[in-house]
Amino acid sequence: MSVIRTEGLCKYFKDKKALEELNLEVPKGIIFGYLGPNGAGKTTTIRVLLNLAKPTKGTAYILGEDIRKSRNYLRKVGFLPDVPNFYNFFTAREFLSFIADITGIENPKKRIEETLDLVGLKNEKSRIGTYSRGMKQRLGLAQALLPDPELLILDEPTSSLDPQGRKEVLDLIFSLKGNKTVFFSTHILTDVERICDRIGILKEGRLILEDSIENIKKRYRKRRVLIEVDNLEKFSDKIKETLPLNFLEIKDNSIIIEVSDIQYTLREIPKLIVQNDLVLERLEILEPSLEDVFLEVTSGV
Amino acid sequence: MVFKLMKKEFIEFRKTGKLIAIIVTFLLFSILSPITAKIMPEMIKSISSEITIIVPPPTWKDAFLQFFKNLNQIVFLIVVLLFIGSIAEEKNRRTAGLIVSKGIDRREWVLAKFLFQISLVFVLTIVSFFLCYYYSAILFPYTEFGTSLQSCLLFLFYMTFIISLTIFSSSVGNNIIQAGGIFIAIFIILGILNMFPSIKAYNPIYLSSLENQWIVSGVDWSSSIKTIISSVILSTLLVSVGVYLFNFQELE
Ligand SMILES: Nc1ncnc2c1ncn2[C@@H]1O[C@H](COP(=O)(O)OP(=O)(O)OP(=O)(O)O)[C@@H](O)[C@H]1O
Ligand SMILES: [Mg+2]
């Protein structure tokens, strides 16, 4: 069963189509990265899923419940907002014990200490009003995790963390894999590459790509090969004559070529080397980074 | 759940200094009112020694007229200022969205605020009444308990209406400025309507004049019942509509 399933979900603000026919499926136990440029509709999707905004058309099922008909599922969802803001007069501990109180957590004291430890706020005694943005983001994660939800919806969870904090939080999210389902939006592609199983890319309210990271890389693999030989000019002349190239570039001491048939190319290159009595110093198939894919997909190339 | 949410409102009031502000205001005026009523004629006499003004000796009625005047002006203002942002500012700061996204019933969330505000004002009004009565009994030869207590009940009905109106304004507005604007607009309309004698009796803000009338010329439930009933109905309506609107509102 999918933890999140949206069916033709639309959200319009007056004439602005923030979400258009969104069909999304997030299976249980995975980490789902929700990507898209600014204003793509990521936060809007999250607001609709959390019943904070109403869908204009379509619906979504979360943990099997229709979000248009019920709000009970919210009890099993943890949410970190993009701009975390809490009651400034509370300390982190007081705030979490208020959350524990209203969500009915068993053994709250122990759970609060565990959670504060998890997000690195255990020794923080001051009021939330004095916190930095990164600290609020950590507290945001703590309040989302506190009731031990089945589904975590995180809106840009690492956006204002320092490198150390980002690593800690990503490790934390990664450690939840299998036990919980995590749906998180972000702009930071290296984060996604590190921990996500599947991603969805949103552009102008439309989902333009949804797949596992592996498949995406396979699908968007640019057939590029990097070659280094002792005589670059000779080799580049020869390769232009013998192979059908889409693209060739000489950069520093290497040649980068883009071809349509990678198998054929890899068979031909060693032959060329031998025939021309060259020394092969390096041969590498270039992997596309997720960033390449993201830029290619979102710029509509 | 409502009780847990009310507890948070109380902690918020305590930690932000709002609690102490409202307590001090109530208590200050409950003590000051009988004292001012007592010394006012003396003061008037002392500043105009040339001409003799005949000032009737003050009575317990002056103490309570002063009391209700202060409640309806300064205390009223403090109450509205402290309560008007209760929902709107939580929407603006997005804490409302955060809490209801945890599956907390939105209706209970609003209701908790209303009940907290009502309880706080009721307790403080009753304590203030007894303080005022106590000082009045000390300063004047005679103070009528029944009349002043029943006039105080009218004030409680009036406050219930005012708090219902702040809850309504706050659930419609998206920040404290909007909520304040809505409150003032409605209050001004009611003020204008209060000038038409034919509908005056159904206007909740007429309750504040009735308090004085009861003190001056005695308790009269039968001619005031229309105002009380219409005020209770309007209060219920305002809170219900506020709760209803908030339940379907889009939040950040
Ligand atoms: N309440 C609203 N009223 C009108 N338009 C809105 C509202 N909320 C969002 N939008 C519009 O919907 C679009 C999507 O916004 P959204 O906040 O979902 O983007 P996002 O993908 O989260 O962007 P970012 O990466 O900057 O956080 C934007 O064009 C935005 O202007
Ligand atoms: Mg966003």
Side-chain angles (χ1 to χ4, degrees):
Chain A
M1 186 193 73
S2 298
V3 171
I4 301 176
R5 196 176 87 236
T6 70
E7 286 180 357
L9 196 66
C10 299
K11 179 67 189 173
Y12 305 158
F13 295 104
K14 296 197 181 80
D15 49 350
K16 166 90 202 166
K17 295 186 172 178
L19 280 183
E20 184 69 349
E21 286 293 323
L22 183 71
N23 293 305
L24 196 68
E25 201 147 353
V26 180
K28 193 171 157 68
I30 71 154
I31 302 181
F32 188 94
Y34 200 44
L35 297 166
N38 290 126
K42 302 182 293 296
T43 301
T44 304
T45 310
I46 290 177
R47 286 179 60 220
V48 171
L49 293 181
L50 288 165
N51 225 307
L52 293 173
K54 278 182 290 290
T56 311
K57 260 192 286 178
T59 190
Y61 296 86
I62 295 188
L63 297 161
E65 276 180 52
D66 187 340
I67 63 160
R68 297 189 89 133
K69 302 209 173 95
S70 165
R71 286 175 176 171
N72 292 336
Y73 69 91
L74 291 172
R75 292 261 169 196
K76 296 175 245 166
V77 178
F79 165 49
L80 167 71
D82 54 347
V83 188
N85 232 336
F86 312 103
Y87 300 111
N88 285 339
F89 52 87
F90 276 135
T91 65
R93 253 183 205 80
E94 290 166 342
F95 179 64
L96 292 186
S97 69
F98 164 60
I99 300 297
D101 197 26
I102 58 172
T103 51
I105 289 170
E106 285 168 42
N107 206 346
K109 280 228 164 64
K110 183 164 163 275
R111 179 85 191 127
I112 289 168
E113 291 310 314
E114 280 170 7
T115 315
L116 282 173
D117 198 25
L118 213 55
V119 299
L121 287 175
K122 203 175 173 62
N123 299 318
E124 205 43 64
K125 300 241 166 1
S126 47
R127 288 181 170 206
I128 297 169
T130 66
Y131 282 17
S132 70
R133 232 199 106 168
M135 287 161 78
K136 284 187 185 168
Q137 203 149 34
R138 286 161 184 263
L139 178 59
L141 210 58
Q143 58 84 33
L145 284 167
L146 190 73
D148 199 22
E150 287 175 43
L151 167 65
L152 273 172
I153 297 183
L154 314 171
D155 201 352
E156 300 188 27
T158 58
S159 65
S160 49
L161 297 175
D162 54 38
Q164 178 67 28
R166 163 167 295 150
K167 187 183 173 318
E168 287 167 15
V169 166
L170 287 177
D171 288 348
L172 176 62
I173 296 174
F174 192 67
S175 74
L176 303 172
K177 188 165 154 173
N179 290 323
K180 298 186 194 311
T181 311
V182 183
F183 178 90
F184 80 98
S185 82
T186 183
H187 300 121
I188 304 162
L189 293 147
T190 48
D191 287 3
V192 173
E193 240 171 333
R194 233 155 94 185
I195 63 167
C196 288
D197 302 297
R198 287 181 79 81
I199 63 166
I201 298 181
L202 199 65
K203 186 194 174 192
E204 291 165 10
R206 289 173 184 276
L207 193 67
I208 47 177
L209 183 68
E210 192 205 339
D211 211 337
S212 70
I213 294 211
E214 249 171 70
N215 283 346
I216 284 173
K217 282 193 173 171
K218 236 181 258 165
R219 175 138 49 113
Y220 282 83
R221 192 195 301 273
K222 292 199 183 110
R223 295 153 195 94
R224 283 190 174 202
V225 184
L226 178 143
I227 308 138
E228 279 179 23
V229 289
D230 55 348
N231 187 338
L232 273 183
E233 253 127 80
K234 189 171 171 192
F235 182 71
S236 85
D237 290 343
K238 292 289 166 197
I239 200 167
K240 273 183 211 161
E241 283 167 25
T242 42
L243 284 173
L245 300 177
N246 299 338
F247 171 86
L248 182 145
E249 181 187 32
I250 301 186
K251 209 167 145 191
D252 303 327
N253 281 323
S254 47
I255 292 178
I256 296 173
I257 55 166
E258 193 177 309
V259 293
S260 305
D261 188 343
I262 190 94
Q263 297 297 332
Y264 177 71
T265 310
L266 291 179
R267 236 179 291 124
E268 290 306 304
I269 288 173
K271 282 185 201 160
L272 268 180
I273 304 274
V274 174
Q275 278 162 15
N276 296 290
D277 197 23
L278 295 164
V279 178
L280 179 62
E281 288 164 349
R282 187 171 162 208
L283 180 72
E284 192 184 334
I285 303 163
L286 297 178
E287 271 275 311
S289 71
L290 198 55
E291 189 168 339
D292 296 328
V293 176
F294 181 79
L295 291 175
E296 184 176 330
V297 175
T298 54
S299 63
V301 175
Chain B
M1 180 54 66
V2 173
F3 186 72
K4 289 174 181 171
L5 294 169
M6 284 171 75
K7 205 171 92 190
K8 174 250 153 196
E9 293 300 309
F10 180 76
I11 297 173
E12 172 163 4
F13 258 61
R14 188 163 53 78
K15 288 193 177 264
T16 52
K18 290 177 179 176
L19 187 64
I20 200 78
I22 196 168
I23 290 177
V24 167
T25 323
F26 264 98
L27 298 192
L28 190 69
F29 288 104
S30 60
I31 300 169
L32 274 184
S33 302
I35 295 177
T36 358
K38 180 79 180 176
I39 60 173
M40 193 64 96
E42 308 283 331
M43 273 167 59
I44 294 171
K45 264 183 223 161
S46 67
I47 48 171
S48 55
S49 49
E50 304 289 300
I51 32 166
T52 20
I53 307 172
I54 299 161
V55 189
T59 67
W60 67 274
K61 291 188 177 183
D62 297 292
F64 274 94
L65 288 176
Q66 194 71 37
F67 179 61
F68 286 120
K69 192 184 124 214
N70 287 327
L71 285 186
N72 285 314
Q73 289 175 358
I74 298 161
V75 175
F76 170 92
L77 192 70
I78 297 287
V79 166
V80 173
L81 283 177
L82 291 182
F83 293 163
I84 192 69
S86 66
I87 299 164
E89 270 308 288
E90 287 220 28
K91 281 194 262 180
N92 188 25
R93 294 182 41 83
R94 303 183 176 191
T95 45
L98 185 75
I99 299 303
V100 302
S101 80
K102 296 189 179 300
I104 303 304
D105 192 317
R106 292 182 180 212
R107 291 163 298 189
E108 292 184 343
W109 190 79
V110 175
L111 224 49
K113 288 187 183 275
F114 174 71
L115 291 176
F116 164 74
Q117 296 172 359
I118 284 282
S119 319
L120 183 64
V121 167
F122 273 35
V123 168
L124 287 175
T125 304
I126 289 162
V127 171
S128 300
F129 166 78
F130 281 105
L131 266 177
C132 182
Y133 176 79
Y134 175 77
Y135 279 91
S136 174
I138 291 178
L139 293 169
F140 303 104
Y142 172 71
T143 299
E144 208 172 291
F145 182 75
T147 309
S148 49
L149 182 66
Q150 291 177 72
S151 306
C152 197
L153 271 176
L154 282 183
F155 179 74
L156 291 182
F157 280 115
Y158 181 53
M159 270 296 134
T160 305
F161 174 76
I162 294 300
I163 291 172
S164 307
L165 184 56
T166 62
I167 286 288
F168 171 81
S169 312
S170 204
S171 55
V172 176
N174 285 322
N175 54 52
I176 196 164
I177 305 292
Q178 287 180 9
I182 294 164
F183 180 91
I184 292 169
I186 296 178
F187 198 73
I188 288 175
I189 292 171
L190 290 175
I192 294 169
L193 290 177
N194 208 30
M195 295 189 293
F196 297 96
S198 55
I199 46 171
K200 194 172 178 167
Y202 299 98
N203 193 334
I205 69 171
Y206 184 53
L207 284 171
S208 59
S209 329
L210 285 177
E211 294 152 14
N212 296 334
Q213 282 180 29
W214 283 21
I215 292 289
V216 174
S217 36
V219 174
D220 181 1
W221 285 100
S222 58
S223 70
S224 311
I225 200 73
K226 278 185 283 189
T227 322
I228 293 170
I229 290 175
S230 106
S231 171
V232 169
I233 291 173
L234 282 173
S235 304
T236 316
L237 216 62
L238 282 170
V239 174
S240 313
V241 173
V243 167
Y244 178 83
L245 290 177
F246 183 76
N247 198 29
F248 292 103
Q249 243 162 31
E250 301 212 331
L251 299 173
E252 295 281 327

